[in-house]
Structures are given as structure tokens and as C-alpha cells.
Amino acid sequence: MPSAQHTPRIATPDTDTITQDLVTATIRKVFPEVTDTTVGEWTVAHADLAWANVTGPEFCVIDWEDWGMAPRGLDAATLWGNSLAVPALAERVWHERRPDLESRPGRLMALFFCAKVVGPHAHEADPRLEPARKEAARLVAELQST
């Protein structure tokens, strides 16, 4: 569910200020068949929600320098994408964050993440590569059918 909070600060995942243009360029570079990349919903995000930034056993999220407004689903997609090498974990993240990830902007953010993994700078040794290719095909089909 989108946040009711707002800030003038814009998120900077991977140190790039996230904008509609960045989302469109990143997705279309790898998946040109996705013609509508309009995000629509923006919310406050951590913008670097990876497992390295979550502590336990006492839960804490660290490393907040990239936070700000971002497309809905960015955080969920980032955590899901970073889980792709462990299919059961990726499935669990998707299940737990389903409202965000199954929204149109959430699917776009999942594809945005996949584009970074499978795109021009893909590393064949990346254990997320094949799962990201598979998930990207699914996401492209879902986005084209809506």
C-alpha cells in the first residue's frame, strides 16, 4: 500500500536520481517492447533495501543515504531482485510484498531491477542472471497484457 508520507527529497538508487525518464530509459534499453513505463504512484522509499542493509536478530534497516520519493514498489522490487539467487527467498519476498509488487508500478520496478541485472552490463557469473531473465519475461508479458 502506498505511503501517505511525502518529502521533497528524491531517492537515488545506485546513486542515480530516480525519475520517470530514468525508469523509462533503463527498461526500454533492455525491453523495448514495453512501451508504457508510466509509473503513476510515488512514495517514500529507502532506495537501497538489500539484505546487507537489514540487521538481525534485532530488526533494523541501515544505510539511509539514498532515501526519498520513488516509484511504488522500488524497495520491494530491490529486496526481491537481490533474492533471486535463492528462489524460495525470492518467492517469500514476493508473497510478503505482494500489494506493492503486483501493482503496475511495482511490476515496473521489478522489471527495472531485472533490466540492471540482464542488461548490457550483465555478468555471466551472477547467480541472479538466469532467474532475472525468467522473471523479466514474465513481467514483460504481464505488463503488456494490462
Side-chain angles (χ1 to χ4, degrees):
M1 179 167 280
S3 170
Q5 304 302 314
H6 295 278
T7 178
R9 186 180 165 106
I10 306 299
T12 55
D14 301 322
T15 68
D16 294 321
T17 300
I18 194 157
T19 63
Q20 179 64 63
D21 288 344
L22 178 66
V23 171
T24 298
T26 302
I27 291 174
R28 286 198 183 150
K29 180 185 258 184
V30 183
F31 308 108
E33 65 273 28
V34 179
T35 57
D36 183 5
T37 60
T38 306
V39 171
E41 291 179 68
W42 291 67
T43 189
V44 175
H46 179 275
D48 190 18
L49 193 57
W51 293 108
N53 292 332
V54 178
T55 68
E58 184 110 8
F59 179 76
C60 184
V61 178
I62 61 172
D63 192 18
W64 284 88
E65 74 265 7
D66 296 319
W67 80 277
M69 295 300 289
R72 176 183 180 188
L74 175 66
D75 284 344
T78 302
L79 195 60
W80 167 80
N82 280 304
S83 304
L84 287 172
V86 183
L89 181 57
E91 186 176 316
R92 173 75 186 264
V93 171
W94 191 280
H95 175 76
E96 296 294 332
R97 300 306 310 160
R98 181 173 301 214
D100 284 332
L101 289 166
E102 292 187 355
S103 68
R104 179 166 179 78
R107 284 188 171 103
L108 285 167
M109 290 301 91
L111 191 60
F112 178 76
F113 185 93
C114 288
K116 293 177 185 182
V117 174
V118 306
H121 304 291
H123 296 284
E124 289 303 318
D126 187 340
R128 302 168 304 166
L129 185 58
E130 285 309 314
R133 286 179 176 148
K134 178 183 170 201
E135 291 297 329
R138 175 185 63 83
L139 290 160
V140 167
E142 289 176 359
L143 286 162
Q144 288 178 322
S145 70
T146 58

